Amino acid sequence: MPQILVVGAGQSGLQLALGLQARGHRVTVVTDRSAERIRSGRVLSTQVMFDSARAHERALGLAHWDAEAPAVGGIGVSVADPGGGRALDWLGRLSAPAHSVDQRIKMAHWLEEFATRGGEVRVGAVTAEDLDALSAGYDLTVVAAGRGGLGGLFARDAARSTHDAPRRALAVAYVHGLAPRPEHPFPAVACNLVPGVGELFVIPTLTLTGPADILFLEGVPGGPLDVFDGVTDPGQHLELTRELMKRYLPWEWERARGAELTDAGGTLAGRFPPTVRHPVAVLPSGRPVLGMADVVVANDPITGQGANSAAKAAACYLAAIEERGDGPFDRAFMEAAFERFWDYARHVVRWTDAMLAPPPEHVREILGAAAGLPEVADRFANGFDDPADLAEWFLDPEGAAAYLDAARARRG
């Protein structure tokens, strides 16, 4: 049985490691933080896991929070008008519920589970120089963490990367006490769009202190939402979030007036350029290593695909390793494993790029039509679970026109 090294203890790294372990592979996980440090630290991300991504967790027996996490039943879309009201407001239903689980809970538990099952965990930062020596003892090294300069090992793929600078400034606050949306009959992600300014996503979640909500601002760089650089006090972060909600999204501010942070680690801010990288890096020794998930395909979180893509990358790599047989873990294997993932990820990249740009006329028509056509609202909502479907209509003007005509005819 080959020995496999996974560097990184996030969604993709731990899902892959636990999947390999369950199939009898000898796996070592290297992480810069222990389970306890993860659990007691700052929030790691926003995340909404849709059904097809959650299915990979269920298949591995890793979906431990189904009874506790809010069952997210839909995606709501609101578009702000210049007067502080809503030009559009509608709700699409998901075919199967989505869940959001604070990654501090999930990753700490999974890391402990991996160790309890007999997996080797090494805790410590790994530099690019360290990786060369460390990888010598393994048949395959998978890099699932870009911190510590490891992401820089993988060269940018200019042919597949649209951007070379951040397209949004990101600010996150986990809160208790958010009032429900009265027009939403079940828990739903609220996507609030402020043209030319940015977005606010409100996400029902499960955190360390129970059910909560995530207030997630995405601001156009240099614009009025891009004001969180240098804000280190969690309370100040939340108050600034509320001030911006009051100015641009008063319907969301009303229900956030009594909200409080879930914990002192419940805020996060930053930015990064959406980037696709080549999946194989060659170390000074000549050994190749394979990048996975957002190490090699980093999308802006505007489409909520980060954790979903990570789960699907882990599933693709697990299948590729299982199907390899006695073949070598060489560059050809690595590139083929990545291309298997890219067949899915390319749809996410295209959709995310489109959502970061001003909407073209056919997208504005779709968003308007969804307010009166539940079929259209539902199909858009389920595109978060299956981004490939969006290529057929949401991203194609002719496909959009044909679909809307048919949907209107069915509506009568």
Side-chain angles (χ1 to χ4, degrees):
M1 217 28 124
Q3 296 194 67
I4 298 173
L5 175 66
V6 177
V7 182
Q11 175 74 42
S12 65
L14 285 174
Q15 183 182 313
L16 177 62
L18 284 157
L20 289 168
Q21 184 184 56
R23 286 159 173 74
H25 292 273
R26 292 175 290 178
V27 187
T28 298
V29 169
V30 175
T31 172
D32 61 352
R33 282 172 289 185
S34 67
E36 185 51 40
R37 278 194 61 199
I38 293 170
R39 191 178 285 113
S40 63
R42 187 173 294 277
V43 291
L44 302 170
S45 67
T46 60
Q47 62 285 308
V48 185
M49 299 284 289
F50 297 95
D51 188 60
S52 60
R54 291 180 58 223
H56 296 301
E57 296 183 348
R58 293 194 296 268
L60 295 173
L62 301 176
H64 303 309
W65 301 276
D66 284 1
E68 301 174 63
V72 177
I75 305 291
V77 173
S78 302
V79 179
D81 65 29
R86 284 176 273 189
L88 286 173
D89 185 54
W90 48 262
L91 175 66
R93 291 176 178 265
L94 292 167
S95 298
H99 282 179
S100 171
V101 178
D102 185 337
Q103 290 195 347
R104 293 178 295 180
I105 297 174
K106 182 188 284 188
M107 300 316 147
H109 185 96
W110 280 3
L111 190 59
E112 290 170 341
E113 186 170 356
F114 175 77
T116 299
R117 293 181 183 181
E120 181 183 0
V121 177
R122 298 188 183 185
V123 179
V126 176
T127 66
E129 293 74 19
D130 298 331
L131 185 61
D132 202 3
L134 187 60
S135 65
Y138 297 89
D139 299 288
L140 172 65
T141 296
V142 180
V143 178
R147 293 190 183 95
L150 296 184
L153 292 171
F154 299 88
R156 181 175 182 271
D157 186 339
R160 289 173 167 173
S161 296
T162 306
H163 309 290
D164 56 9
R167 295 301 307 274
R168 291 293 189 272
L170 315 174
V172 173
Y174 280 53
V175 298
H176 288 307
L178 190 74
R181 271 271 197 119
E183 65 272 32
H184 288 180
F186 46 76
V189 175
C191 305
N192 299 279
L193 315 179
V194 186
V197 174
E199 299 81 27
L200 169 70
F201 301 93
V202 184
I203 304 167
T205 194
L206 177 70
T207 188
L208 299 164
T209 47
D213 289 278
I214 303 171
L215 304 177
F216 176 30
L217 283 169
E218 289 223 352
V220 173
L225 303 187
D226 183 8
V227 292
F228 287 87
D229 287 351
V231 177
T232 57
D233 178 77
Q236 182 184 357
H237 181 115
L238 177 58
E239 285 311 307
L240 184 53
T241 298
R242 266 199 282 250
E243 289 171 14
L244 294 168
M245 292 168 67
K246 183 177 182 179
R247 178 177 176 185
Y248 292 102
L249 303 154
W251 61 90
E252 295 289 13
W253 169 73
E254 285 288 347
R255 65 190 190 115
R257 294 174 71 172
E260 298 179 350
L261 289 173
T262 58
D263 61 280
T267 62
L268 186 67
R271 67 189 74 207
F272 62 89
T275 306
V276 180
R277 298 182 180 276
H278 292 286
V280 181
V282 179
L283 301 175
S285 62
R287 280 186 295 276
V289 295
L290 174 60
M292 181 167 64
D294 60 3
V295 170
V296 286
V297 183
N299 285 292
D300 187 278
I302 193 169
T303 53
Q305 294 300 300
N308 295 272
S309 291
K312 292 178 181 182
C316 287
Y317 283 22
L318 176 60
I321 292 168
E322 285 293 281
E323 294 168 10
R324 159 191 161 274
D326 295 326
F329 289 116
D330 55 10
R331 175 183 282 272
F333 164 83
M334 294 179 179
E335 290 178 345
F338 173 77
E339 290 300 324
R340 186 175 190 153
F341 169 57
W342 178 251
D343 190 54
Y344 163 81
R346 62 191 174 91
H347 298 294
V348 177
V349 170
R350 186 181 174 207
W351 177 34
T352 304
D353 285 348
M355 293 299 289
L356 289 168
E361 177 59 34
H362 78 277
V363 169
R364 293 196 296 271
E365 185 176 358
I366 289 169
L367 296 179
L373 294 169
E375 173 191 333
V376 177
D378 293 350
R379 188 173 183 185
F380 177 76
N382 285 283
F384 284 78
D385 189 30
D386 180 17
D389 178 64
L390 297 168
E392 299 179 8
W393 65 290
F394 190 82
L395 300 177
D396 176 60
E398 292 183 2
Y403 171 62
L404 292 179
D405 286 346
R408 290 178 178 122
R410 285 188 288 271
R411 181 72 168 176

